[in-house]
Amino acid sequence: VIEVLEPEEGAIVTSLAREWIQLRDELLPVIRLRERFGCPPGGEETFVVVVEAAGRRTALVVDALGTQQDIVVKTLDVVRGSAVLFSGATVLGDGTPALIVDIGSLA
């Protein structure tokens, strides 16, 4: 994670059938996680999380942010032929399971 921001109204634009956001001197592709994971519409997507993987930056639009935590990641066995969107899982301090998104698989 490079940075987190709350984009201004109209900051995300569509061009060439893709969404983009201008962040200082850089034009970043936008990925809406709700759509990518096939979640139903709803909830307010209010934050943009700028991530970098393999030297490429991407802006992820998310509904909410949690706090930073130290976790132990358990790798997932991927079913052959399935989409590889998650690299692992963990159990949070309150006992809630959480999947770890594989950033490299999103672009």
Side-chain angles (χ1 to χ4, degrees):
V1 173
I2 304 298
E3 68 180 290
V4 177
L5 55 112
E6 291 182 74
E8 295 178 13
E9 186 75 28
I12 297 174
V13 297
T14 302
S15 177
L16 302 173
R18 184 150 194 192
E19 288 186 303
W20 303 87
I21 187 168
Q22 181 76 39
L23 184 62
R24 292 178 283 287
D25 297 346
E26 196 172 6
L27 190 61
L28 302 176
V30 171
I31 297 174
R32 294 182 184 272
L33 292 185
R34 180 174 284 281
E35 291 174 7
R36 182 59 59 100
F37 296 140
C39 296
E44 252 183 73
E45 297 174 314
T46 56
F47 298 99
V48 171
V49 179
V50 179
V51 296
E52 184 173 349
R56 295 177 31 196
R57 291 185 182 200
T58 303
L60 306 177
V61 179
V62 299
D63 297 348
L65 300 171
T67 59
Q68 182 174 335
Q69 299 181 29
D70 290 326
I71 59 171
V72 175
V73 177
K74 172 75 173 152
T75 58
L76 294 175
D77 292 330
V78 177
V79 177
R80 186 173 298 202
S82 67
V84 183
L85 296 175
F86 304 103
S87 60
T90 191
V91 177
L92 302 177
D94 64 359
T96 306
L99 294 171
I100 311 300
V101 176
D102 180 5
I103 300 299
S105 73
L106 293 176

